[in-house]
Amino acid sequence: MSIEENVQQILKELKEDVKLIAVSKTRTVEEMEQAYKIGIRDFGENKVQELVDKYDKFHKDVHWHLLGHLQTNKVKYIVGKVHLIHSLDSIKLLEEIEKRFKAKDAIANVLIQINIGKEESKTGIYLNELEEIMNKCEQCTNVKVKGLMCIIPKGTEEENRKYFREMNDIFQELKGKNYKNISMNILSMGMSGDYKIALEEGSNMIRVGQGIFGPRNYK
Ligand SMILES: *Cc1c(COP(=O)(O)O)cnc(C)c1O
């Protein structure tokens, strides 16, 4: 199927309050243009350099989402360019984002990435660190937490569902706590292979790359 057909197919499956992020890492702007043409305005990248390059080359009315691990020394490059950082994964990073965005009088919208599968190979906050980072976020003036994000371990459908459900439980619990300066509205979970299950378990933001653009080939 073409990029257009893939996008249309996925959009048909989404309820009104669910946002589709087209994950365009490794893709050319010509490929992205095909998704743009039929209405996609949210694009996800996992590398700062690629996001910044495409920001310069592509339409100005799109929202850029940073999905991958963000190194503190690269925060300065995305101020004013990124719409939502999905990968807040440490207090050190939080402090750097606060500092750099404040210096330019900009607001950073972020999601806290949870390492829900407790995998050493992945970044993200462990559940026992969540309370501490939430408290720090409450004190920020230029960082605004909008919700949570996760990348789950590879596994069976049942295992996937278990992690998504656990994420939704945490999301609902945090929502109920009414932290100041924090709005728990976005639950970013689900990728090409598992977004249908994620939607059933309460996701309202899915990040789809290969399901739109076809298989990635890393050189
Ligand atoms: C690459 C990536 C995706 C998209 O993965 P696909 O399998 O291509 O849908 C989603 N989220 C993150 C954080 C990614 O790095």
Side-chain angles (χ1 to χ4, degrees):
M1 286 210 295
S2 68
I3 292 171
E4 289 98 316
E5 286 168 324
N6 289 336
V7 168
Q8 269 153 353
Q9 183 56 42
I10 296 167
L11 288 177
K12 265 197 275 178
E13 301 168 40
L14 303 185
K15 293 202 218 113
E16 211 179 324
D17 59 345
V18 176
K19 178 69 92 183
L20 168 63
I21 312 296
V23 180
S24 48
K25 63 192 187 201
T26 77
R27 311 297 175 170
T28 63
V29 289
E30 287 75 22
E31 288 171 290
M32 294 167 66
E33 185 65 36
Q34 295 178 48
Y36 181 89
K37 249 182 5 207
I38 53 165
I40 294 290
R41 292 294 180 271
D42 291 82
F43 291 88
E45 292 290 335
N46 68 343
K47 294 206 170 75
V48 165
Q49 186 64 52
E50 193 168 346
L51 187 153
V52 170
D53 286 348
K54 287 176 176 169
Y55 179 93
D56 289 336
K57 284 191 211 149
F58 206 56
H59 299 274
K60 289 297 165 261
D61 64 341
V62 309
H63 287 155
W64 296 97
H65 296 253
L66 187 76
L67 309 175
H69 173 63
L70 176 55
Q71 290 169 273
T72 49
N73 63 352
K74 301 216 167 133
V75 173
K76 56 180 177 283
Y77 301 120
I78 57 171
V79 180
K81 298 186 173 171
V82 71
H83 175 72
L84 183 64
I85 299 168
H86 290 232
S87 45
L88 174 62
D89 59 11
S90 71
I91 288 175
K92 192 173 115 203
L93 177 61
L94 173 67
E95 288 168 349
E96 180 69 11
I97 298 174
E98 171 77 357
K99 181 175 110 187
R100 294 288 179 177
F101 278 68
K102 191 181 253 175
K104 295 226 171 126
D105 208 16
I107 294 294
N109 295 313
V110 308
L111 305 179
I112 298 177
Q113 182 178 352
I114 309 282
N115 189 344
I116 194 70
K118 304 190 188 79
E119 295 174 282
E120 274 182 36
S121 61
K122 290 203 175 102
T123 53
I125 297 281
Y126 287 80
L127 287 182
N128 63 2
E129 306 165 327
L130 188 54
E131 175 82 20
E132 188 188 3
I133 197 160
M134 293 295 283
N135 291 334
K136 296 268 190 221
C137 290
E138 278 196 298
Q139 291 156 26
C140 289
T141 54
N142 292 61
V143 174
K144 303 288 178 200
V145 176
K146 300 291 178 187
L148 303 178
M149 178 271 222
C150 71
I151 304 170
I152 61 167
K154 285 198 170 50
T156 64
E157 212 177 293
E158 272 326 293
E159 287 160 347
N160 294 352
R161 190 179 299 283
K162 174 179 89 73
Y163 287 117
F164 289 142
R165 197 167 283 180
E166 205 179 326
M167 279 296 294
N168 195 16
D169 289 344
I170 300 160
F171 180 67
Q172 298 302 338
E173 188 188 325
L174 293 178
K175 208 192 241 297
K177 286 191 176 171
N178 292 314
Y179 287 95
K180 64 174 190 317
N181 182 41
I182 290 172
S183 55
M184 275 289 149
N185 292 325
I186 300 175
L187 183 53
S188 167
M189 58 184 195
M191 314 185 1
S192 296
D194 57 21
Y195 74 84
K196 289 179 193 175
I197 307 167
L199 290 171
E200 286 169 9
E201 300 303 332
S203 168
N204 60 18
M205 187 172 273
I206 60 172
R207 312 178 306 264
V208 181
Q210 306 190 69
I212 292 177
F213 297 105
R216 267 187 300 278
N217 82 69
Y218 288 104
K219 298 219 180 67

